[in-house]
């Protein structure tokens, strides 16, 4: 976005794509001045033509930047934009009401991660690393290998290293020196430039050198609710939630944090997606095997974790729960609920099916 971006269209002599004209008119009606400038828009329109599947944008505004993107995208490409202001999100949704390929999402910029990865990602608000509270977008969950990222709203650098308001421009350097990007600064006007980068694909020889069962180390880069992304020296690794630990967790952040180094086992290699499936759990002691050695007949005090039509599940150890059949519950004064404690005996252990049978004591 640009501070006087909407006003810039008053002096733009070239004819606008119809969708862009519609978005600019909506921005004017609603007094939104920070639209994508036409110089930036033409670049986005050009880059959109190279996207194969999905284009993402943060900071929709009233939809001017997305209109440029949609005007250049090929048929069949999905376009998603996130806007934190509810009013502007509604205005943009009206602009694209007749474009089913465009989806406007209301929320913080982090919601863009719910729909990635993207062939083209435009960080038009949030995720820049410019503010102390915004954070910085991680590339692994957002940008496909070989995909393009555009970070806008810079002024052309007049020195090196670049400065912003007299201090080192760390946001610009973050993207220009990002180890996973081929990035450069593109000057669009005397007072406007943008950083454009392409995600480096992992070296084929390093990807093919990995094999199932191999133990490797990497650094956690992103922790969405559906799993964990790990940087394996430029190769993307992913750990599904069930492969994080043997114990039950409510959030992946209960197990690992961004920036943490982890050791994992390779489960599978997806050459097409250039992604390695990993397991942290595989390198941890299996509590089921330990229970099988000396747990039969053990009496424990456990917490009810789940109530099912056929009985209740009771936690008997960290990461382990067993079933008390519903017939045995008739002796209790009232049906147990999650969180209740019961004294139970371990009367059966099946290591193959990973089932534990319990009896009330």
């Amino acid at each position: 976005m640009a501070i006087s971006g909407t006003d810039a269209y008053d002096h733009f002599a070239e004819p606008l794509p119809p969708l862009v004209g519609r978005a600019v008119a909506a921005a004017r009606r609603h007094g939104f001045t920070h639209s994508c400038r036409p110089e930036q828009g033409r670049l986005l329109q050009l880059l959109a033509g190279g996207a194969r599947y999905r284009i993402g944008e943060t900071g929709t505004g009233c939809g001017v930047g997305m209109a440029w993107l949609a005007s250049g995208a090929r048929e069949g490409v999905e376009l998603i934009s996130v806007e934190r202001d509810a009013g502007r999100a509604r205005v943009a949704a009206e602009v694209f009401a007749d474009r089913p390929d465009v989806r406007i999402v209301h929320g913080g910029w982090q919601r863009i991660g719910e729909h990635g990865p993207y062939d083209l990602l435009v960080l038009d608000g949030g995720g820049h690393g410019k503010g102390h509270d915004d954070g910085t977008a991680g590339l692994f969950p957002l940008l496909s290998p070989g995909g393009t990222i555009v970070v806008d709203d810079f002024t052309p650098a007049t020195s090196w290293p670049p400065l912003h308001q007299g201090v080192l421009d760390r946001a610009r350097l973050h993207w220009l020196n990002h180890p996973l990007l081929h990035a450069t600064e593109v000057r669009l006007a005397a007072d406007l430039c943008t950083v454009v980068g392409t995600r480096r694909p992992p070296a084929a020889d390093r990807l093919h050198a990995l094999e199932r069962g191999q133990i490797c180390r990497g650094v956690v880069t992103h922790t969405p609710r559906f799993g964990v992304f790990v940087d394996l020296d430029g190769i993307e690794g992913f750990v599904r939630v069930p492969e994080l630990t043997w114990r039950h967790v409510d959030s992946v952040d209960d197990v690992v944090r961004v920036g943490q180094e982890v050791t994992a086992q390779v489960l599978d290699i997806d050459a097409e997606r250039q992604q390695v499936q990993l397991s942290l759990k595989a390198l941890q002691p299996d509590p089921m095997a330990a229970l099988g050695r000396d747990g039969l007949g053990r009496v424990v005090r456990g917490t009810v974790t789940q109530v099912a039509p056929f009985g209740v599940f009771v936690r008997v150890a960290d990461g382990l729960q067993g079933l008390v059949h519903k017939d045995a519950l008739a002796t209790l004064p009232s049906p147990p609920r999650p969180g209740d404690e019961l004294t139970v005996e371990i009367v059966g252990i099946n290591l193959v099916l990973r089932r534990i049978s319990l009896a009330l004591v």
Side-chain angles (χ1 to χ4, degrees):
M1 69 176 69
I3 295 177
S4 301
T6 306
D7 293 341
Y9 289 88
D10 294 338
H11 312 289
F12 190 64
E14 299 179 17
L16 295 175
L19 191 58
V20 176
R22 190 194 309 174
V24 171
R28 286 171 174 156
R29 285 196 306 271
H30 291 83
F32 182 70
T33 61
H34 291 42
S35 295
C36 166
R37 278 175 49 173
E39 300 95 329
Q40 176 82 352
R42 287 185 298 179
L43 174 65
L44 298 183
Q45 184 183 33
L46 179 66
L47 293 175
R52 297 179 298 168
Y53 306 112
R54 191 174 294 115
I55 295 172
E57 178 198 41
T58 62
T60 316
C62 289
V64 175
M66 178 51 66
W68 282 105
L69 290 166
S71 297
R74 294 184 292 182
E75 185 177 355
V77 173
E78 182 183 15
L79 299 99
I80 299 164
S81 186
V82 176
E83 170 57 48
R84 65 182 178 182
D85 182 87
R88 292 197 291 266
R90 285 193 296 270
V91 172
E94 293 172 0
V95 170
F96 300 103
D98 60 347
R99 291 291 300 261
D101 54 332
V102 177
R103 189 188 324 173
I104 307 300
V105 178
H106 172 229
W109 72 264
Q110 293 86 350
R111 291 202 62 188
I112 198 70
E114 299 173 7
H115 309 280
Y118 300 93
D119 303 304
L120 172 61
L121 176 63
V122 182
L123 294 181
D124 202 30
H128 292 55
K130 293 182 179 179
H132 296 294
D133 301 325
D134 276 348
T136 304
L139 291 186
F140 274 146
L142 294 178
L143 195 62
S144 300
T148 300
I149 189 169
V150 179
V151 187
D152 79 334
D153 199 21
F154 291 106
T155 54
T158 57
S159 63
W160 191 263
L163 302 177
H164 177 62
Q165 297 180 347
V167 298
L168 190 65
D169 192 344
R170 298 187 182 278
R172 191 185 322 225
L173 289 174
H174 171 83
W175 297 112
L176 289 174
N177 297 331
H178 199 293
L180 299 181
L181 289 176
H182 293 290
T184 189
E185 183 177 302
V186 178
R187 183 171 295 200
L188 301 174
D191 60 342
L192 178 67
C193 71
T194 190
V195 173
V196 179
T198 301
R199 180 179 163 185
R200 304 172 187 262
D205 55 345
R206 287 191 289 119
L207 186 66
H208 294 156
L210 294 173
E211 58 185 9
R212 294 180 181 179
Q214 183 173 338
I215 308 302
C216 54
R217 286 184 178 176
V219 177
V220 175
T221 60
H222 193 55
T223 56
R225 62 176 179 271
F226 52 85
V228 172
F229 288 88
V230 180
D231 176 13
L232 302 173
D233 192 22
I235 298 174
E236 180 181 275
F238 181 69
V239 187
R240 297 186 303 113
V241 172
E243 292 298 331
L244 284 172
T245 179
W246 292 103
R247 59 185 173 85
H248 172 76
V249 294
D250 295 320
S251 168
V252 295
D253 291 328
D254 294 337
V255 183
V256 294
R257 296 284 183 178
V258 172
Q260 178 181 339
E261 185 178 75
V262 295
T263 303
Q265 178 179 315
V266 175
L267 297 182
D268 197 12
I269 301 169
D270 188 335
E272 182 177 353
R273 297 183 61 192
Q274 297 187 318
Q275 186 182 82
V276 180
Q277 298 292 324
L278 302 172
S279 174
L280 303 183
K281 183 175 74 173
L283 302 182
Q284 302 167 5
D286 183 355
M288 191 77 170
L291 187 73
R293 286 192 292 269
D294 57 10
L296 198 63
R298 183 185 303 174
V299 175
V300 299
R301 184 78 172 167
T303 302
V304 175
T305 59
Q306 182 182 352
V307 177
F310 46 83
V312 298
F313 289 91
V314 179
R315 183 181 297 113
V316 295
D318 190 20
L320 295 178
Q321 58 183 10
L323 175 68
V324 180
H325 196 270
K326 65 177 182 179
D327 294 342
L329 301 176
T331 59
L332 296 176
S334 61
R337 296 175 298 178
D340 290 349
E341 288 193 347
L342 297 176
T343 301
V344 296
E345 179 185 356
I346 300 174
V347 296
I349 300 173
N350 189 317
L351 295 178
V352 176
L353 298 179
R354 304 191 67 82
R355 292 177 180 172
I356 301 172
S357 299
L358 306 174
L360 292 177
V361 176

